[in-house]
């Protein structure tokens, strides 16, 4: 069991990580460092690994673990934009700008065929340990709404409608009503508990935990 320093300015993310990692005996603490540079890269994993490299010198004890998490909205018709640039795109274009961009690009088709507005949130949770670096990935499939919907949430929530999930938490077939559903509403229009069932961040952390479990089993077998 380890002390995990979570590099983030977002206390909400730390709470979520504590929720998943504390029951396994890990002690998660927030690490704030000024001057971390985000590289220009296409992949969340590249960005996460670059942050780990920059932050590792700041660990108080080299045996401690270091974690970062990065997320973004990837819109299919925009070749994955805003993706790794999601924070910047949110503060410049905003949700309205994203809708205008899509409408401008494929004006009619996009309204006719919801599939052409396909998008997904992706998250990467990267953990550096003395045994190596583990990368967990999560995704939430969905589509961009025709217009802003809802007052809650944050970021691109008002324009993102998640794909329904079946009982096992997998995305339901398009056009098939799933057991977990926002009924066509965006993340900004539903409560946090329901949004949490779709969370790309939770999935990334769980993927990470599964890999740690496998690594632990391998270490104790050898
Ligand atoms: P971060 O890497 O988690 O800070 O996410 C980068 C950007 O992606 C945020 O500023 C948001 O614009 C967007 N984003 C990531 N996850 C979500 C989400 O769950 N809802 C809405 N926007 C999100």
């Amino acid at each position: 069991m380890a002390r995990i320093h979570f590099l983030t300015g977002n206390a909400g993310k730390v709470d979520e990580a504590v929720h998943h990692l504390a029951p396994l005996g890990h002690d998660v603490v927030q690490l704030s460092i000024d001057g971390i540079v985000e590289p220009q890269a296409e992949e969340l994993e590249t960005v996460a690994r670059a942050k780990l490299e920059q932050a590792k010198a700041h660990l108080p004890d080299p045996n401690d673990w270091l974690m970062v998490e990065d997320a973004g909205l990837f819109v299919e018709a925009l070749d994955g934009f805003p993706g790794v640039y999601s924070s910047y795109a949110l503060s410049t274009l905003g949700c309205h700008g994203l809708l205008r961009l899509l409408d401008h690009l494929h004006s009619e088709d996009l309204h006719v065929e919801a599939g052409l507005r396909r998008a997904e949130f992706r998250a990467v949770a990267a953990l550096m340990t003395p045994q190596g670096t583990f990368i967990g990935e999560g995704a939430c499939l969905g589509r961009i709404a025709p217009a802003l919907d809802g007052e809650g949430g944050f970021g691109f929530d008002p324009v993102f409608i998640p794909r329904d999930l079946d009982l096992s938490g997998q995305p339901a077939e398009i056009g098939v009503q799933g057991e977990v559903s926002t009924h066509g509403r965006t993340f900004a229009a539903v409560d946090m508990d329901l949004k949490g069932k779709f969370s790309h961040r939770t999935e990334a952390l769980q993927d990470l935990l599964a890999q740690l479990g496998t690594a632990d089993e391998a270490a104790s077998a050898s």
Side-chain angles (χ1 to χ4, degrees):
M1 302 309 119
R3 167 162 279 217
I4 301 177
H5 298 267
F6 189 178
L7 178 70
T8 178
N10 184 335
K13 286 189 179 185
V14 180
D15 290 345
E16 198 174 323
V18 168
H19 174 78
H20 290 282
L21 296 162
L24 303 174
H26 299 301
D27 178 20
V28 181
V29 291
Q30 184 168 4
L31 179 65
S32 301
I33 304 173
D34 288 335
I36 296 284
V37 178
E38 288 215 7
Q40 299 242 313
E42 298 289 307
E43 303 289 334
L44 291 173
E45 181 179 334
T46 314
V47 176
R49 284 184 184 275
K51 288 185 184 170
L52 286 176
E53 280 304 318
Q54 294 173 66
K56 69 181 181 190
H58 297 264
L59 280 183
D61 180 333
N63 289 316
D64 285 351
W65 296 3
L66 177 63
M67 186 164 85
V68 303
E69 192 232 76
D70 269 288
L73 176 67
F74 294 72
V75 180
E76 194 171 296
L78 301 176
D79 289 334
F81 181 82
V84 293
Y85 307 107
S86 291
S87 299
Y88 181 70
L90 185 71
S91 58
T92 49
L93 282 175
C95 288
H96 281 291
L98 179 67
L99 292 180
R100 273 199 303 273
L101 198 57
L102 276 176
D103 289 348
H104 179 69
L105 270 186
H106 296 283
S107 47
E108 289 179 6
D109 286 351
L110 286 168
H111 284 301
V112 174
E113 175 56 68
L116 291 177
R117 294 182 83 95
R118 264 196 297 263
E120 62 187 71
F121 278 118
R122 288 184 209 153
V124 159
L127 182 70
M128 184 182 269
T129 78
Q131 285 71 44
T133 297
F134 299 85
I135 304 287
E137 292 179 321
C140 171
L141 307 187
R143 66 182 196 275
I144 302 298
L148 264 76
D149 172 34
E151 304 289 326
F154 71 97
F156 288 108
D157 280 347
V159 292
F160 185 79
I161 302 171
R163 174 111 71 91
D164 286 5
L165 303 177
D166 65 21
L167 274 180
S168 59
Q170 294 305 308
E173 291 293 317
I174 291 177
V176 174
Q177 166 90 53
E179 271 72 19
V180 182
S181 174
T182 66
H183 302 282
R185 305 295 306 272
T186 68
F187 271 157
V190 300
D191 65 39
M192 286 230 315
D193 281 351
L194 181 54
K195 182 186 170 189
K197 295 193 170 135
F198 296 89
S199 176
H200 43 298
R201 259 180 278 282
T202 302
E203 192 173 284
L205 276 171
Q206 282 170 347
D207 184 24
L208 195 61
L209 288 176
Q211 293 177 45
L212 283 177
T214 310
D216 278 353
E217 277 168 28
S220 46
S222 61

